[in-house]
Amino acid sequence: MDYLEKNVYQKKLTYQKIRSKYHIKTGNNIESYTKKQLRIPSLEEYLSICKRYHMKPVIEIKQKMKKDTIKRLYQSLKKAKMQNQAVVTCKYKQQLTYMRKYTRKMPLEYVRHDFTQNDLSWMKKYHINVSINKNILSDDMIQLFERNNIKINIWTINNKDQLYNFTNKGIKIVTSDDALWKE
């Protein structure tokens, strides 16, 4: 929902308005889909699509949520039998802490633009990985995360040179706006 038209206050949008007014505008083979097929999916539809195509759902929590909302998210994942396949990312510690209470197996990622020793201690305590901006990830940080068994998801890698640079350093999870595997 980051790419809505200007002057739209996203928190005031209703589910029905999102479904009827806004549509997916880019993607592989997008021209082969109808406008109805390009509507923004519900969580349940998204999970169903991921399941059908054997894809790992990645869900980013963009705002602070109450504990009961996190519980409903977990229950939706469990109902879809995707609670161990999904990855949940968030920049708020409390939301990830809530989610961790429901599952020890689900990969959780702490989204960071910066990083402190307190972050590391908390991540180790709750078995949470890191999703980190490429501009702050140093070789020393990579080694620190590896020593502490914290998986690294680096973002936003949008060209093959960056991709090869970080994968050669052992990074295995990359977030990109582009399909970098295409020739």
Side-chain angles (χ1 to χ4, degrees):
M1 297 281 304
D2 289 334
Y3 303 105
L4 294 178
E5 62 195 54
K6 289 182 180 181
N7 303 319
V8 174
Y9 189 60
Q10 296 172 18
K11 287 184 180 181
K12 292 192 176 190
L13 289 174
T14 65
Y15 175 73
Q16 289 304 328
K17 187 170 186 176
I18 290 170
R19 297 276 286 190
S20 64
K21 185 172 181 181
Y22 299 101
H23 295 83
I24 298 168
K25 294 181 180 180
T26 63
N28 288 342
N29 303 315
I30 195 153
E31 63 283 347
S32 63
Y33 295 94
T34 66
K35 189 172 183 178
K36 183 178 179 184
Q37 291 172 313
L38 293 173
R39 73 180 190 277
I40 297 172
S42 67
L43 175 61
E44 290 74 17
E45 290 168 330
Y46 171 65
L47 295 174
S48 174
I49 292 165
C50 289
K51 199 171 198 175
R52 182 177 333 130
Y53 294 103
H54 308 285
M55 302 298 292
K56 180 178 283 217
V58 177
I59 300 165
E60 183 173 1
I61 299 172
K62 293 269 197 181
Q63 61 189 18
K64 291 184 177 182
M65 299 171 128
K66 294 181 181 177
K67 189 175 185 177
D68 63 323
T69 306
I70 298 293
K71 184 177 183 178
R72 285 196 317 271
L73 170 58
Y74 175 73
Q75 288 170 336
S76 293
L77 291 166
K78 190 172 180 180
K79 183 178 179 183
K81 296 183 172 122
M82 306 258 334
Q83 75 271 21
N84 295 328
Q85 290 83 21
V87 176
V88 173
T89 72
C90 184
K91 67 179 179 178
Y92 302 109
K93 286 182 178 180
Q94 190 62 56
Q95 280 61 50
L96 293 170
T97 303
Y98 290 155
M99 184 62 80
R100 182 53 77 216
K101 289 180 182 180
Y102 299 113
T103 175
R104 297 298 288 170
K105 292 183 178 181
M106 180 187 299
L108 303 178
E109 294 179 352
Y110 188 35
V111 177
R112 303 306 309 141
H113 292 278
D114 58 9
F115 191 77
T116 67
Q117 185 62 40
N118 286 340
D119 294 331
L120 179 64
S121 299
W122 174 80
M123 291 165 64
K124 286 172 50 175
K125 178 180 178 180
Y126 289 99
H127 307 283
I128 294 176
N129 297 315
V130 68
S131 178
I132 196 161
N133 184 305
K134 70 176 183 264
N135 295 324
I136 69 159
L137 186 64
S138 66
D139 291 345
D140 289 341
M141 289 174 80
I142 292 171
Q143 292 172 3
L144 176 69
F145 292 135
E146 287 175 353
R147 280 194 310 272
N148 287 281
N149 296 316
I150 294 172
K151 292 180 183 174
I152 304 167
N153 176 357
I154 190 165
W155 49 268
T156 300
I157 304 298
N158 287 334
N159 70 57
K160 286 185 180 182
D161 290 338
Q162 288 177 337
L163 176 67
Y164 295 136
N165 178 42
F166 285 108
T167 56
N168 286 337
K169 293 178 181 184
I171 304 298
K172 294 180 175 74
I173 308 167
V174 174
T175 299
S176 179
D177 294 327
D178 300 316
L180 297 175
W181 61 87
K182 286 185 173 180
E183 290 302 320

